[in-house]
Amino acid sequence: MEMAPGGIPLAEGGPDRDGLEMDVLTVRLGPVLPHWPAGLVLHCSLQGDVVGSARAELLDATGDLQNAADGPARRLDRVASVLALAGWDDAAGEARRVRDAILDGGPEPTDAMLARLRRKVCRSWVLRRSLRGLRPLDEDDIDHHGLPVSAVGDSYDRLTRMLDRAVVAGDPPGHESGPAISTDHLAHLVTGLDLATARLVVAGLDVHDLRAGQVEHEVAHG
Amino acid sequence: MADPMAMPGPGSPTMEVAPAWAVAAVALLGALVVVAALLDGILASRASGGPGRTMSGLARPFGEAARLMRQRRRTTVQADTVLWRIGGAGLLVTAALMVTVVPLGDWTVFDLDVGVMWFNAMDVMVWALVWLAGWGANSAHALVGGYRFLAHGLGYELPLMFALVAPAIAAESLNVGRVAAAQEGLWFVVWMPVAFLVYLLGVAAFSVWGPFAPALGSDVAGGVRAELSGVDRLLFETGRYALLAAGAAFAVPMFLGGGAGPLLPGWAWVLVKTLAVLTVLVWLRRRLPAFRPDTFMEVGWMVLLPAVLVQDLLVAVIAVWRS
């Protein structure tokens, strides 16, 4: 018998990681969220705050994302997202300021600003602690999930790499964008993580381009 | 060594004032809240961009308060309204109850024999209140925020309790006035710095502040406060600042010698020291990324708890050796 107080069905129990039963909440992430790839929708089943299973889809997949000639600026946007999700608003604000400076033009001061930001980020042991070991990926995983080579390592590696590549300004757009990431694989990457780390992992992937998956199957944990 | 609990009430160094003065204590707490909010506003606007932003930072808390007071109250389907409101408004009440045992120089509102335990009981109450605020809204994001706070709580609460134990052992009393008086000549912060630091972390934690703010994270739409709007939200935010201020005020008699200091009268020194601690706490938020709730327990139990237990042991050995 299903009860629905106020028109919302009660959460049903489901097997949890520890072998016990826990309520399953269906939560949709996206398509519009701060620090989130635009258009990505993640249909999650949450137990507590752990993503038990997820299905990803892409809204408005025809959107032209390739006209972004400003590689470093976009990358700094993502850096700012990761920092904001890691709860470091000040550093995120600084990353956004560097991004604005880059978009405004004027190459000399931005290099120094970038270097300062990079130093600040790399010096923080709390940040390193919270990002180290998050969804580590090796070469095989990369091949399997169709991710760019720059995704090797854990979220901390990916963040520092993004910063490094933002420093190397002016690489041609599309040069290292690699293959578009399929939404199917994205769902795999966040399954079994809690909401906060899932968001950190998604933001930390240098996602240039998302491709709607061929198979929109549900990815379950386990 | 005498059991601190057995110490009788009379002979306490502080004087209990008439209950009506509690209003003044709350007003003082309110003033500290305003100062903390102003400070945070200035630091936030300075962080978000160049010079000349100080004025907008000063206006920020007042503008935000005015906005929230005019905002219509939002409700959610099947919200557990009673528990939700208790959680949202309770933080401010808890903070007010905390400052009743803090002596302002020679005066205290509530000269309790077990004042240290009283403070501890109040900070444990925050667990329930933040959780209820997250639970009551009947919203997945708020609920996740509640889980995150509890996960942090498991990590910070025991170290915080044992940090409070150290000054009580040294003073051989749980009366806050006596703990302050026991620091004649040497403040506890000097010879129990670990307990002091862990205490400060605990204050930030029960105020859901700075590195302990993932329960209110932007990644879960504001977490516990996701569905709080209007006056409810104003109360919740004020409550957080008030907890921060109350925690800073309690640090003064516990670690910073109470009203001791040259020239100024005792009450003035208490306020000066409180403001100093409060400033550090507000500033801390700018410096540190968040401690992830799912991994913080490891830090709490593997690093903070042993460190503060060793501190307690040292303090106890010194206290026995001195007596």
Side-chain angles (χ1 to χ4, degrees), chain A residues 89-146:
Chain A
D89 293 339
D90 264 29
E94 193 172 329
R96 279 192 293 269
R97 268 206 305 287
V98 180
R99 175 204 62 190
D100 292 346
I102 287 177
L103 288 176
D104 286 346
E108 283 84 21
T110 57
D111 286 351
M113 285 170 85
L114 253 176
R116 200 165 58 234
L117 175 67
R118 192 183 188 289
R119 260 203 315 280
K120 183 173 182 169
V121 167
C122 292
R123 250 202 322 245
S124 169
W125 58 268
V126 178
L127 186 74
R128 190 176 323 134
R129 229 197 94 80
S130 67
L131 294 183
R132 266 278 171 244
L134 274 194
R135 198 43 107 204
L137 297 166
D138 55 29
E139 270 91 6
D140 294 343
D141 300 325
I142 299 291
D143 288 345
H144 180 238
H145 293 303

Side-chain angles (χ1 to χ4, degrees), chain A residues 188-201:
Chain A
H188 267 293
L189 289 174
V190 298
T191 309
L193 299 177
D194 74 279
L195 212 50
T197 44
R199 300 252 352 227
L200 278 169
V201 166

Side-chain angles (χ1 to χ4, degrees), chain B residues 32 35-36 39 187 189 196-197 199-201 203-204 209 243-258 269-285:
Chain B
L32 288 173
V35 170
L39 197 61
W187 294 359
V189 64
F196 181 63
L197 288 179
Y199 171 79
L200 285 188
L201 270 185
V203 171
W209 187 258
L243 283 172
L244 210 56
F250 193 70
V252 175
M254 291 303 275
F255 293 100
L256 300 172
W269 271 114
V270 171
L271 285 181
V272 168
K273 291 172 188 173
T274 303
L275 281 173
V277 177
L278 190 57
T279 306
V280 170
L281 285 168
V282 170
W283 169 82
L284 186 76
R285 159 169 163 178

Side-chain angles (χ1 to χ4, degrees), chain B residues 206-278:
Chain B
F206 69 61
S207 311
V208 207
W209 187 258
F212 295 94
L216 310 173
S218 59
D219 56 332
V220 281
V224 167
R225 63 184 172 190
E227 304 292 345
L228 285 171
S229 55
V231 176
D232 297 328
R233 185 156 190 160
L234 184 60
L235 269 179
F236 185 84
E237 293 298 332
T238 311
R240 280 176 70 212
Y241 281 113
L243 283 172
L244 210 56
F250 193 70
V252 175
M254 291 303 275
F255 293 100
L256 300 172
L263 298 176
L264 295 176
W267 60 268
W269 271 114
V270 171
L271 285 181
V272 168
K273 291 172 188 173
T274 303
L275 281 173
V277 177
L278 190 57

Side-chain angles (χ1 to χ4, degrees), chain A residues 5-6 8 22 25 27 29 35 48-49 85-88 90 97 124 126-127 129-130 134 194-197 199-200, chain B residues 47-50 77-78 138 140-141 143-144 147-148 218-220 285-292 294-295 298-299:
Chain A
I8 303 173
M22 188 155 181
L25 295 177
V27 174
L29 295 180
H35 323 305
D49 65 347
L85 288 171
W88 200 6
D90 264 29
R97 268 206 305 287
S124 169
V126 178
L127 186 74
R129 229 197 94 80
S130 67
L134 274 194
D194 74 279
L195 212 50
T197 44
R199 300 252 352 227
L200 278 169
Chain B
S48 65
V77 180
Q78 292 288 313
N138 194 21
H141 289 310
L143 191 65
V144 168
Y147 285 129
R148 288 187 187 176
S218 59
D219 56 332
V220 281
R285 159 169 163 178
R286 305 271 136 218
R287 304 299 303 173
L288 287 180
F291 298 141
R292 264 172 51 209
D294 51 336
T295 54
E298 204 177 303
V299 180

Side-chain angles (χ1 to χ4, degrees), chain B residues 43-69:
Chain B
L43 290 176
S45 58
R46 272 187 45 189
S48 65
R53 298 276 187 106
T54 310
M55 284 317 287
S56 74
L58 276 174
R60 186 178 287 203
F62 296 111
E64 182 69 2
R67 184 181 74 79
L68 288 175
M69 279 203 261

